Amino acid sequence: MATKVMEVVKNLDLKRYMGRWYEIASFPSRFQPKDGVDTRATYTLNSDGTVHVLNETWCNGKRGFIEGTAYKADPNSDEAKLKVRFYVPPFLPIIPVTGDYWVLYIDEDYQYALIGQPSRRYLWILSRRTCLDDEIYNQLVEKAKEEGYDVSKLHKTPQSDSPPESEDSPEDTKGIWWIKSILGK
């Protein structure tokens, strides 16, 4: 059976997309700790049109984070197909790792989004708030299923009603979370 061509958002308004997004659910990834909570991403538009990416998660009360840069995969396309480049390991960022970041769906108010990539190995449901209405969540899951994702792999991310602030949390300065996640722990 042929795999359906994935539909992505067209004419994404990057300025409206900027800001903080909370991870409501995702496919488990070796790049994220299994016991991470309050996972979120903060996007800031750079003067050159690229996007500064700050991904954060908390494990055992400690903040783990990684920073990167996102940019349009094809500057001449109207499709929301981005590339994201991180340098790893986070405690000694020397190795560039680039991945796809495709916006598969976003509501007209830019309050929740479905993010994937062409191999369908990674999937994220994001929201501007720490929780998402069940009806909306189920609609996004259905959209992912329509795009060929095995939604049985989705894992809901625990979020606090009052998310931690970065400056109030001790950092995992040794990058232990990153090493453990690569080892699948």
Side-chain angles (χ1 to χ4, degrees):
M1 181 172 138
T3 304
K4 175 185 184 281
V5 174
M6 202 175 302
E7 292 182 34
V8 299
V9 170
K10 292 192 184 322
N11 300 311
L12 180 72
D13 184 339
L14 266 184
K15 287 182 182 175
R16 288 184 69 200
Y17 195 75
M18 296 300 99
R20 180 163 290 164
W21 290 89
Y22 295 94
E23 181 183 281
I24 302 302
S26 68
F27 281 3
S29 158
R30 65 181 183 166
F31 299 110
Q32 289 181 256
K34 289 182 179 180
D35 57 350
V37 300
D38 295 317
T39 303
R40 63 191 185 199
T42 305
Y43 305 121
T44 309
L45 193 59
N46 295 321
S47 60
D48 64 358
T50 62
V51 176
H52 175 261
V53 177
L54 171 62
N55 288 345
E56 301 172 283
T57 193
W58 276 257
C59 292
N60 302 317
K62 291 187 178 177
R63 174 181 172 254
F65 69 96
I66 190 166
E67 296 181 81
T69 303
Y71 53 93
K72 286 196 75 163
D74 178 355
N76 298 316
S77 173
D78 65 348
E79 293 183 313
K81 293 181 177 179
L82 305 175
K83 294 280 188 185
V84 181
R85 178 178 299 125
F86 295 101
Y87 287 87
V88 295
F91 52 87
L92 182 63
I94 56 174
I95 303 167
V97 175
T98 303
D100 293 297
Y101 183 106
W102 289 11
V103 182
L104 305 177
Y105 179 82
I106 189 159
D107 71 301
E108 64 183 35
D109 295 326
Y110 282 61
Q111 295 301 300
Y112 49 89
L114 182 67
I115 309 301
Q117 44 80 264
S119 74
R120 294 174 172 83
R121 284 193 305 241
Y122 302 104
L123 182 69
W124 294 269
I125 293 177
L126 305 178
S127 173
R128 296 289 190 179
R129 297 180 304 126
T130 57
C131 59
L132 191 60
D133 178 77
D134 285 342
E135 183 179 340
I136 294 169
Y137 176 82
N138 291 333
Q139 289 171 359
L140 293 172
V141 170
E142 191 57 37
K143 171 73 173 151
K145 190 188 277 186
E146 290 169 8
E147 293 299 336
Y149 283 87
D150 176 3
V151 296
S152 69
K153 294 192 274 183
L154 263 177
H155 169 74
K156 284 199 173 183
T157 305
Q159 293 283 352
S160 303
D161 290 335
S162 298
E165 289 302 321
S166 304
E167 55 275 358
D168 297 337
S169 302
E171 291 183 7
D172 174 10
T173 56
K174 295 181 176 72
I176 300 301
W177 71 270
W178 186 83
I179 294 168
K180 286 171 67 177
S181 66
I182 290 297
L183 298 173
K185 305 205 181 225

